[in-house]
Amino acid sequence: MAPIALKRAYEQAEAEDGTRVLVDRLWPRGLRKDKVDIDLWAKDVAPSNTLRRWFAHRPERWEEFEKRYRAELAASEGQPQVEALRAISRKRRVTLLYAARDESMNNAVVLRDCLRKRH
C-alpha cells in the first residue's frame, strides 16, 4: 500500500505528491483550472451539498459530520470512485487535495481514513 497524503489545493505541487486528486464537490475559490496540477477531480466522493452546507466547517459539528460522511461514502453513487481511488493507492502514492482551511477537520481526512481501512 502506497501512502495517502493530504494537502491543501492551494499548495504548490511537488513530485512526491504522486497522483493528485481533488476531493471537493466545488472547485476551490481563486484557483484557475489551467494553473493547478490535478490529475483527477473526484467530486463524487465529496460530501453531499446538504452535508457540506450543514457542517459549514464548524468544529462542534465535526464528529457528527464525520459519521454522516462515512455513511455517504458507504452508500453513495460515488462508491465506484472510492474503489478507483483505493486501486490507485495500492499502486502508487496519492495526495488528496482539499480547499478547507482547517487541516485536521475536513472531508479529505475522513476519506483518507476510509481508504486506508479497506486495504
Side-chain angles (χ1 to χ4, degrees):
M1 163 178 59
I4 300 172
L6 303 178
K7 194 176 214 181
R8 287 197 75 219
Y10 302 99
E11 293 179 48
Q12 187 68 33
E14 298 172 320
E16 62 269 11
D17 288 346
T19 301
R20 293 170 50 88
V21 182
L22 178 62
V23 295
D24 285 345
R25 190 161 299 275
L26 303 176
W27 189 262
R29 288 183 187 187
L31 283 185
R32 288 183 36 186
K33 290 181 182 179
D34 62 339
K35 299 289 184 188
V36 177
D37 186 9
I38 292 176
D39 299 304
L40 174 66
W41 184 8
K43 55 182 147 184
D44 288 339
V45 299
S48 66
N49 284 324
T50 302
L51 181 58
R52 179 181 57 79
R53 285 187 206 111
W54 173 82
F55 175 46
H57 298 285
R58 293 173 60 182
E60 67 274 12
R61 293 184 176 173
W62 171 247
E63 287 183 29
E64 183 64 22
F65 168 79
E66 197 174 6
K67 179 180 167 186
R68 291 182 188 188
Y69 182 39
R70 286 179 192 279
E72 284 187 359
L73 287 172
S76 76
E77 66 276 353
Q79 196 60 35
Q81 229 172 5
V82 170
E83 291 306 322
L85 289 176
R86 268 196 195 103
I88 294 168
S89 70
R90 286 185 193 109
K91 297 175 185 169
R92 61 185 168 274
R93 182 182 179 96
V94 171
T95 298
L96 303 178
L97 303 172
Y98 60 92
R101 288 188 183 109
D102 191 320
E103 296 180 6
S104 62
M105 287 189 242
N106 65 68
N107 64 297
V109 171
V110 178
L111 179 58
R112 178 196 56 199
D113 293 346
C114 287
L115 292 172
R116 285 179 174 168
K117 285 184 180 171
R118 295 269 314 264
H119 275 108

